[in-house]
Structure formats: structure tokens, C-alpha cells
Amino acid sequence: KEAGVPYTGGSSGGWRRASVLDLQSMYKNSPNYKYFNVGSDTPQPGDVAFYIGSQTPDGGSNRHVNIVIEVNGNTMTTIGGNESNKVKKSTRKISVGSQGLVGFGRIVK
């Protein structure tokens, strides 16, 4: 949004999505987006990383998302909000279940 890229698919007509599961559903069900499970494709910068499980990067919920900003082999650097009450850049393993990592979303327009 801050980059000035228009988007009208959110629940309030703009960028806002109601939940992690709502966003995940959008990536799975829209022809303009692609969802893939961990291991079925290599994430790229700009992809959304989905975490669902008992231990997610925000440390307080069972659902969370981050944006991939770099990939190096089997690790990725992500940026995410609401992690330790701040926006946080982190390096994480790309493996099923690592902090609840389940898959990725990508724009394919």
C-alpha cells in the first residue's frame, strides 16, 4: 500500500484482509495468485510466508504471515509485523513446520 500499488481485493475494498486464513484462501482460489506448500516450489522475494501452528514467529498466536525479502539456499529472510511488538527482519529455515511454516503465496498476474 505504501508503495502506491493499487489493490481492491480486501474485505473493506482496500488492502485489509480479515485474517491469515482469509489471505491464504485468496492465494489458493484466485487465478491471479498462487499458493504452494513448503517444498513444492522455491520462495522468491515478495512472496507471502504462511505460518499456522502452535509456535509462529509472532509468539502469541497460531497464525501469522511474513513477506519474503531474500532467499539463500534453505533459508529465507523475512520481514513481519507484530513480532515482539515491532516490525522485525528475521532469517528462518525453509522447512515444513519451522515455526509453523506451511506454505507461500505469490502474485502471478
Side-chain angles (χ1 to χ4, degrees):
K1 179 179 178 181
E2 293 296 319
V5 178
Y7 175 73
T8 58
S11 57
S12 60
W15 279 91
R16 190 173 75 87
R17 298 300 299 186
S19 69
V20 171
L21 295 179
D22 177 51
L23 182 64
Q24 186 184 43
S25 177
M26 180 192 80
Y27 277 97
K28 287 181 174 182
N29 298 309
S30 172
N32 297 323
Y33 300 92
K34 171 185 175 183
Y35 179 85
F36 56 96
N37 294 321
V38 177
S40 66
D41 199 348
T42 302
Q44 300 173 0
D47 287 352
V48 176
F50 287 90
Y51 303 87
I52 300 174
S54 60
Q55 181 186 2
T56 62
D58 69 344
S61 72
N62 58 3
R63 295 181 184 104
H64 192 66
V65 294
N66 283 342
I67 298 172
V68 177
I69 57 175
E70 183 178 17
V71 176
N72 250 332
N74 68 345
T75 62
M76 64 182 171
T77 302
T78 62
I79 190 159
N82 202 24
E83 296 182 21
S84 303
N85 293 320
K86 59 185 171 185
V87 174
K88 189 174 178 183
K89 182 177 166 184
S90 301
T91 300
R92 298 189 164 90
K93 292 183 80 171
I94 303 170
S95 62
V96 174
S98 178
Q99 290 189 301
L101 183 64
V102 295
F104 298 91
R106 178 178 298 153
I107 296 174
V108 293
K109 290 182 182 181

